[in-house]
Amino acid sequence: MTSLTATIPTALDAPGAQSRHCDTTGLKVCLSSQSFIKLSAVSAVVFLLLGGIAAILLALTRWQAVHLLPVDWFYRILTFHGLNMLIFWILFFEVAILYFACTIPLNARLFSRKIAWAAFAMMLTGAVMVDVTILVGRADVLMTSYLPLLAHPAFYLGIILVAVGTLTAVFNFFATLYIAKRDRTYEGSVPLVTFGALAAAIIAVVTLLHGAIVMIPTFTYSMGWTPQPDPMWYRMIWWGLGHQSQQVNVCAMVAVWYLVGHLATGAKPVNETVCRGAFLLYILFINLASAHHLLVDPAVGASWKIWNTSYAMYLAVLASMIHGFTVPASIEMAMRDKGYVKGLFGWVTALPWRNPAFSAVVLSVVIFGFIGGITGVTLGTQQINIIAHNTLRITGHFHATVVGGTTLAFMGLAYYVIPLIFRRDFVWRGAARLQPWLFGGGILMVSLGMSFAGSLGVPRRDYDIEPSGAFGPASHLFLGIMGVGAVVAVTALLLFCFLCVGTLLFGERNSGRAMAEWGAAQRLPGVREGLLDHDHWAMKGTIALTAVFLASFAVYYFANWKALADVWPVQ
Amino acid sequence: MSLSIPERGWYKAPAGAEKLWIGLALTWCLVMSVMMPYWHFRGKQNSRGEAYAVTPAAFFERADTFVQANKVGERDGIPIVEPAPGGDAYLVARMWSWYPILRLREGQTYRVHLSSMDLNHGFSLQPLNMNFQVLPGYDHVLTLTPTSKGEFTIVCNEFCGIGHDRMFGKILVE
């Protein structure tokens, strides 16, 4: 093995490198990482499809007027949906992003094919084990599998395998960064996208270690080898996995925002230091976020809750707010530089809206920021959680972050991954241009329907709200809105899978030429480049948008304190 | 560019609108950080997580003693129990019911003990929408002051098996 790797140069542009030339970007593409990007991305889309089918079954059950599934299958499919969407789809896609970010932009080959195979095999085996165990009815424990609920050992073993497999892939990522640096395949600092992926990878290690700490004793308990771990301890460590893994998604999603912004409009960070500093804040201040799920739990005190929910003065929230400015600002500056300088928002109309990757990213920024971010920070406020915990408000929040934010951004990226990595141009391009709008619109309805129903007290993870008699027609209306939104979103999800598979099978090969362009912002004739490079106030539209954002945030936040003040005093 | 190696000397302090935004965002984050300790001392709704270790059997025994001593009626076979104002009240969560029914007085303060006999359960008081987590092995104490009259439903909002959606309880406030 050593003699073999010694003969393959690390740099992709060195003689004898196992790489190809990209006819669109001019970059060198590592052939090993290309195959694993393909494998991971295809698996990811399969799990997205499985999770999407589950989603529609669940939504049509909670939509009380339809109430499709029988009760046992509802919880079974709910377990299935959570794991396939939140864990498998996202992890597989993230591994694809990691393999991309450590090789192609750095002009470096992947460290090891064997390790990549081992990682992929473990992840896939684990995921299949989990899915089969759920579908045969041996793990009706929901995604969180709170002890003393107990599933078949294969369920826990499968999750451990997925976690270890992902850790192995992350190791391959770090090792690739190391050999690229050692063998000087590039000069200077890594690109911003790689930096974002690095932040995601570091958080992933911490996250997956929590997963190992909680899942291994649970597995040994399920085998009857060790006593039952404490249910509260389980909740605390499990959420070290469950919540932080969402920060991995945030990092990867933000990296995709920068990447697609660049591909579609030529955007470059206004200030590299600020963008990188914000990623650094994620790494440093996210690790205590499991507290968000324990805010109304027994045995953890007020000071623990307050300190850990604000993870040192909300510095991770600050990071997201910084990206929420720098991403649109970089796009606006790129547009103004191209000559679209009219008024506050003249540049907005000239954006490449017909580019599905770009529209997906814009919708992702808006849904993640305005809905997901604002609700998330508010619900995660220690005392406000009293009027939100375990209601559909929580589900409404994370469908805006993970689905409207991360999933939509990843879908957007796929509109470049398939032409650039699989080298086939998309089929049915008109439908592709429509897809992000359909998906984003559907998810917006899902998220708002859930949030409003949750504000009326409707519980999450509940088969039927009818028998309690506690929920009136408004609750039913909002669940109906969620149901209609889910039909739209899942239709768009199926369309996405259909487009991907259709392109892989029937898309025109683009080897030897540039990919068919989705549409990028064009420079106006006669406008010189770089005129605004030193104007730090030119992003006027972004300033206006972020001012609206901050005002909405403050209104929602204090409205929730008011709502809290209206319930019974409790200590 | 986000995909290429940044030019040398990329390290620059933030300037202009970006600097202003970082300042505003940080200020907002500080406001939100201060709100929680402020409410802890000045607000009336807090979750302090007061809890004591207890086995399910021991908790049920205490709850049963409480029910026998303070029972004032019965509805559908479930005792209605009225604790003394300022006193302790016990609420048992189990698959799939809440035991007993509590009758409380408006404006009085009670120490309500919550614990589970089996799995995690969720105490969700409707239509007020107040929610607390209930675990086996933990006696979770809420110091609660009802400020509105009527019949309130406790819905379980933590998944606890097939009968989860039919796990209800009642709190009556007079």
Side-chain angles (χ1 to χ4, degrees):
Chain A
M1 162 116 189
T2 39
S3 64
L4 181 69
T5 48
T7 59
I8 304 169
T10 309
L12 295 175
D13 54 2
Q18 293 177 346
S19 68
R20 67 171 175 87
H21 177 81
C22 173
D23 300 307
T24 305
T25 59
L27 295 167
K28 295 283 181 225
V29 178
C30 166
L31 295 179
S32 304
S33 81
Q34 174 174 281
S35 1
F36 288 102
I37 291 170
K38 285 181 180 177
L39 265 180
S40 308
V42 168
S43 318
V45 172
V46 171
F47 288 114
L48 176 71
L49 180 62
L50 292 175
I53 294 167
I56 196 65
L57 296 174
L58 295 173
L60 291 181
T61 305
R62 291 224 61 175
W63 184 356
Q64 292 281 157
V66 184
H67 211 52
L68 183 68
L69 294 175
V71 60
D72 51 345
W73 275 95
F74 174 76
Y75 295 118
R76 197 162 295 155
I77 294 297
L78 187 52
T79 312
F80 186 84
H81 172 70
L83 283 154
N84 280 277
M85 288 305 214
L86 211 49
I87 310 288
F88 305 151
W89 140 248
I90 284 184
L91 278 186
F92 276 95
F93 204 90
E94 276 166 359
V95 167
I97 291 177
L98 288 186
Y99 285 157
F100 163 78
C102 67
T103 54
I104 300 164
L106 297 185
N107 182 36
R109 68 166 172 86
L110 188 66
F111 172 68
S112 164
R113 282 182 70 90
K114 283 184 181 167
I115 292 177
W117 271 120
F120 180 75
M122 277 191 275
M123 288 177 71
L124 192 64
T125 313
V128 170
M129 272 173 78
V130 169
D131 276 355
V132 170
T133 313
I134 296 170
L135 290 177
V136 299
R138 303 298 295 275
D140 295 340
V141 292
L142 305 195
M143 190 185 78
T144 43
S145 54
Y146 289 137
L147 284 171
L149 277 173
L150 197 59
H152 188 274
F155 175 80
Y156 304 110
L157 194 60
I159 293 176
I160 292 169
L161 271 177
V162 173
V164 174
T166 311
L167 268 176
T168 311
V170 170
F171 169 78
N172 213 359
F173 168 83
F174 286 128
T176 304
L177 287 187
Y178 170 73
I179 58 165
K181 187 84 187 164
R182 184 194 64 193
D183 298 343
R184 295 172 180 269
T185 62
Y186 63 98
E187 291 293 328
S189 314
V190 298
L192 184 59
V193 169
T194 308
F195 193 83
L198 174 62
I202 291 170
I203 301 173
V205 171
V206 182
T207 297
L208 294 166
L209 288 177
H210 277 89
I213 293 170
V214 72
M215 277 301 152
I216 291 169
T218 309
F219 168 69
T220 53
Y221 165 61
S222 72
M223 294 296 292
W225 298 336
T226 50
Q228 184 200 302
D230 181 81
M232 186 63 209
W233 175 87
Y234 179 95
R235 284 171 62 79
M236 188 179 288
I237 310 297
W238 195 92
W239 280 111
L241 163 76
H243 198 100
Q244 285 171 58
S245 57
Q246 305 319 309
Q247 314 303 339
V248 182
N249 305 342
V250 171
C251 273
M253 171 190 74
V254 174
V256 171
W257 288 355
Y258 283 115
L259 177 57
V260 172
H262 166 65
L263 291 171
T265 68
K268 56 184 181 189
V270 176
N271 183 326
E272 286 272 355
T273 315
V274 171
C275 301
R276 285 165 199 246
F279 277 118
L280 201 63
L281 288 178
Y282 281 139
I283 303 173
L284 293 176
F285 294 105
I286 215 67
N287 293 336
L288 312 158
S290 85
H292 288 181
H293 302 264
L294 314 177
L295 294 178
V296 294
D297 270 34
V300 275
S303 43
W304 186 91
K305 288 172 181 173
I306 289 174
W307 170 255
N308 287 304
T309 190
S310 63
Y311 24 77
M313 298 175 299
Y314 285 111
L315 290 178
V317 174
L318 177 67
S320 288
M321 289 178 75
I322 290 174
H323 291 304
F325 182 92
T326 57
V327 170
S330 66
I331 291 171
E332 179 176 1
M333 290 299 275
M335 296 301 287
R336 287 185 182 272
D337 185 69
K338 290 182 174 56
Y340 303 97
V341 292
K342 206 174 149 196
L344 273 185
F345 298 115
W347 56 281
V348 173
T349 48
L351 286 169
W353 292 112
R354 283 167 54 76
N355 178 335
F358 182 77
S359 59
V361 160
V362 171
L363 290 168
S364 164
V365 172
V366 171
I367 297 173
F368 181 89
F370 276 88
I371 313 290
I374 291 178
T375 57
V377 178
T378 307
L379 304 181
T381 303
Q382 193 229 340
Q383 294 92 343
I384 292 176
N385 195 253
I386 293 172
I387 56 170
H389 179 69
N390 272 355
T391 68
L392 271 179
R393 293 184 77 183
I394 307 298
T395 337
H397 151 70
F398 71 71
H399 279 79
T401 54
V402 185
V403 193
T406 307
T407 294
L408 190 48
F410 287 2
M411 283 176 168
L413 186 62
Y415 289 113
Y416 279 107
V417 170
I418 293 182
L420 293 178
I421 300 291
F422 292 83
R423 286 193 281 174
R424 282 180 186 271
D425 282 332
F426 261 87
V427 293
W428 309 306
R429 299 173 74 82
R433 294 182 201 282
L434 194 66
Q435 188 272 336
W437 297 98
L438 214 54
F439 189 77
I443 280 303
L444 202 58
M445 282 176 73
V446 168
S447 176
L448 293 176
M450 285 175 165
S451 294
F452 283 108
S455 301
L456 298 170
V458 175
R460 66 186 289 199
R461 299 176 153 184
D462 190 76
Y463 174 62
D464 192 355
I465 63 165
E466 213 67 80
S468 73
F471 305 104
S475 301
H476 288 76
L477 172 69
F478 290 126
L479 289 177
I481 290 173
M482 175 205 75
V484 175
V487 171
V488 176
V490 173
T491 306
L493 185 155
L494 295 176
L495 176 60
F496 173 78
C497 296
F498 205 59
L499 284 164
C500 290
V501 174
T503 303
L504 294 184
L505 296 177
F506 309 114
E508 197 183 323
R509 288 186 184 279
N510 63 20
S511 314
R513 62 171 173 84
M515 66 175 268
E517 184 53 67
W518 283 114
Q522 300 300 319
R523 182 167 294 281
L524 286 180
V527 176
R528 213 150 47 79
E529 201 178 331
L531 286 177
L532 294 169
D533 276 3
H534 299 287
D535 185 346
H536 297 296
W537 293 94
M539 60 293 267
K540 295 189 174 57
T542 302
I543 297 173
L545 287 173
T546 47
V548 171
F549 171 79
L550 196 55
S552 322
F553 200 159
V555 167
Y556 186 80
Y557 182 73
F558 285 112
N560 271 278
W561 281 110
K562 174 71 180 81
L564 176 70
D566 288 344
V567 303
W568 292 353
V570 60
Q571 300 291 345
Chain B
M1 268 167 259
S2 50
L3 196 53
S4 49
I5 307 295
E7 291 161 23
R8 288 212 175 275
W10 55 263
Y11 181 84
K12 288 189 305 250
E18 222 173 28
K19 189 174 170 183
L20 174 69
W21 175 251
I22 294 171
L24 281 175
L26 183 61
T27 311
W28 174 239
C29 289
L30 290 173
V31 168
M32 293 193 298
S33 301
V34 171
M35 270 309 287
M36 291 184 287
Y38 167 79
W39 199 270
H40 178 76
F41 294 110
R42 303 297 294 273
K44 292 197 170 90
Q45 294 80 10
N46 282 292
S47 170
R48 295 184 174 166
E50 182 182 347
Y52 305 92
V54 66
T55 63
F59 187 83
F60 191 79
E61 207 178 294
R62 285 180 218 167
D64 214 36
T65 313
F66 160 74
V67 169
Q68 301 314 327
N70 300 286
K71 187 172 167 182
V72 291
E74 209 174 272
R75 186 197 281 187
D76 304 328
I78 304 168
I80 301 174
V81 183
E82 184 169 335
D88 293 86
Y90 289 82
L91 202 51
V92 176
R94 58 189 173 189
M95 296 155 78
W96 291 287
S97 64
W98 297 88
Y99 171 90
I101 296 170
L102 296 178
R103 194 162 83 190
L104 309 177
R105 299 277 161 191
E106 189 189 0
Q108 299 292 337
T109 300
Y110 302 88
R111 283 171 59 79
V112 180
H113 298 251
L114 299 168
S115 194
S116 163
M117 295 296 105
D118 34 59
L119 304 172
N120 270 258
H121 293 287
F123 171 91
S124 178
L125 192 63
Q126 299 300 339
L128 282 169
N129 198 16
M130 297 175 72
N131 305 279
F132 293 91
Q133 191 76 20
V134 184
L135 277 91
Y138 291 84
D139 172 7
H140 189 177
V141 186
L142 304 179
T143 307
L144 196 65
T145 314
T147 49
S148 44
K149 286 190 175 128
E151 187 174 312
F152 299 88
T153 305
I154 307 166
V155 175
C156 178
N157 70 2
E158 185 62 79
F159 172 68
C160 57
I162 207 90
H164 164 54
D165 66 301
R166 278 151 206 271
M167 177 171 164
F168 315 123
K170 289 281 177 196
I171 292 184
L172 317 172
V173 183
E174 290 176 353

